[in-house]
Amino acid sequence: MLAPPRNPLRALIAGVLSSVLLLAACGGSERPSVLETGRDVYGSTCSVCHGPRGGGEIGPSLESVAETWPTCGEHIEWIELGSDGWKAEFGDVYGATLKPVIGGMPGQGSTLEAEEIAAVAAYERIEFGGLDQDSTLTECGLDTGG
């Protein structure tokens, strides 16, 4: 049995340094900060209904998000309007799959900034829909400075 480290802080620092060195050796993360924003917004706003990994809970799974919303612009509009706003503006079905508008997707247009909405749409499309990162960020109008 291993003895506990004499200095827990030293052990913590050593572990963090090891992780940093491993990431540096592997090239680190290439994920733009805008996707970090999308991940954070998803986690604090969307995951309550769509689940922490987009598999659905109260709301539907997001694994078919790219089929439902073939363009990022439509996806963004859905997030801005939500179920009630979409139904009032466009009618009783949504997306390319013409799903009936039922449920209570809240519109986020008055609670999130436009870039946050675009970031969460991009995050969902890349993370759950499996779309290409660079082309998705471009389509969603997000400049990553690259």
Side-chain angles (χ1 to χ4, degrees):
M1 182 171 191
L2 296 173
R6 293 178 200 218
N7 184 337
L9 181 58
R10 181 176 284 170
L12 176 65
I13 292 170
V16 169
L17 286 175
S18 295
S19 297
V20 168
L21 290 173
L22 179 62
L23 282 174
C26 295
S29 172
E30 301 267 339
R31 181 173 287 223
S33 64
V34 70
L35 286 181
E36 300 298 330
T37 298
R39 182 199 64 211
D40 294 345
V41 170
Y42 179 85
S44 65
T45 305
C46 312
S47 67
V48 173
C49 292
H50 294 286
R53 302 211 185 274
E57 289 185 9
I58 296 168
S61 167
L62 296 176
E63 65 186 25
S64 63
V65 70
E67 290 82 34
T68 302
W69 304 112
T71 70
C72 190
E74 294 169 313
H75 189 172
I76 288 171
E77 198 160 23
W78 172 256
I79 295 169
E80 287 175 350
L81 295 173
S83 300
D84 291 342
W86 186 274
K87 194 170 188 174
E89 193 161 326
F90 297 108
D92 295 335
V93 295
Y94 71 94
T97 53
L98 300 176
K99 295 179 181 180
V101 178
I102 55 174
M105 165 77 181
Q108 299 298 325
S110 63
T111 58
L112 296 174
E113 299 293 325
E115 187 171 276
E116 290 175 310
I117 292 173
V120 78
Y123 173 77
E124 291 173 356
R125 297 172 76 72
I126 294 164
E127 187 70 21
F128 308 129
L131 297 178
D132 175 71
Q133 177 176 298
D134 292 337
S135 61
T136 299
L137 291 173
T138 299
E139 182 189 6
C140 291
L142 297 166
D143 179 25
T144 61

